[in-house]
Amino acid sequence: MSAKLGDILIQQGVIDEEKLIAALSDQRAFGGKLGRTLVDLGYVSEEQLVHALATQLGLETVDLAQVEIAPDALSTLPVDACERYGVFPVRVDPERRVLWLATAEPDQGRSRRWRGSRRMASRYGRHQFLRSFHHSPIRDAPPSPGC
């Protein structure tokens, strides 16, 4: 069983128990996910949350500003699917039939069978890259249904 998000953030020295209790109280009052509540309260950054969630779920993280996006990966999923499932294709291995996906919300894929490898990325980073690659010269060359 994986550790709780709040416990991981305390172990990483990102928050203390007092902030966790305040965030849990806020979450009970207004609903939503604990991680989003912690970010909204300013207790953790998006990147700190991504690293803690990756630790909790046993996933690697990826900084989309630092990774080279393979153009062939962009054509593997339609843009609307990328937006709907909150993913961004990073790399594809056609021989092994594996697609590497970056996501800010890995729990969205739990109900689906992914033939690939998921990596955690910030919600802002995934969204910005989805928009920039959708409108980039690579994407505007021949029209393609991909991301």
Side-chain angles (χ1 to χ4, degrees):
M1 182 166 158
S2 62
K4 292 182 178 181
L5 178 62
D7 294 336
I8 292 170
L9 288 165
I10 289 172
Q11 289 171 354
Q12 292 176 343
V14 177
I15 61 171
D16 56 26
E17 194 167 331
E18 186 177 310
K19 287 183 177 177
L20 176 59
I21 291 169
L24 288 168
S25 174
D26 200 72
Q27 181 192 27
R28 276 192 292 278
F30 301 107
K33 295 181 177 182
L34 177 60
R36 184 59 28 209
T37 300
L38 287 161
V39 170
D40 291 346
L41 290 171
Y43 294 161
V44 302
S45 69
E46 183 91 19
E47 286 73 29
Q48 290 169 323
L49 174 61
V50 165
H51 285 286
L53 286 170
T55 298
Q56 182 184 41
L57 299 169
L59 298 175
E60 295 177 28
T61 60
V62 62
D63 181 347
L64 292 175
Q66 302 297 319
V67 69
E68 187 174 329
I69 307 299
D72 57 338
L74 297 173
S75 64
T76 59
L77 292 174
V79 173
D80 64 326
C82 294
E83 291 173 346
R84 184 174 350 137
Y85 299 116
V87 297
F88 185 85
V90 176
R91 185 171 53 144
V92 65
D93 181 344
E95 290 177 16
R96 292 183 14 209
R97 298 181 59 169
V98 175
L99 174 63
W100 281 261
L101 298 172
T103 181
E105 300 179 34
D107 55 338
Q108 280 190 324
R110 282 192 180 149
S111 62
R112 312 221 183 294
R113 297 185 119 194
W114 294 104
R115 176 75 174 128
S117 177
R118 292 181 294 162
R119 304 285 189 269
M120 289 291 301
S122 73
R123 177 185 307 234
Y124 176 77
R126 187 202 53 81
H127 179 72
Q128 288 301 105
F129 271 78
L130 183 59
R131 292 185 65 186
S132 69
F133 273 93
H134 180 60
H135 299 292
S136 75
I138 293 172
R139 300 302 319 135
D140 292 338
S144 166
C147 298

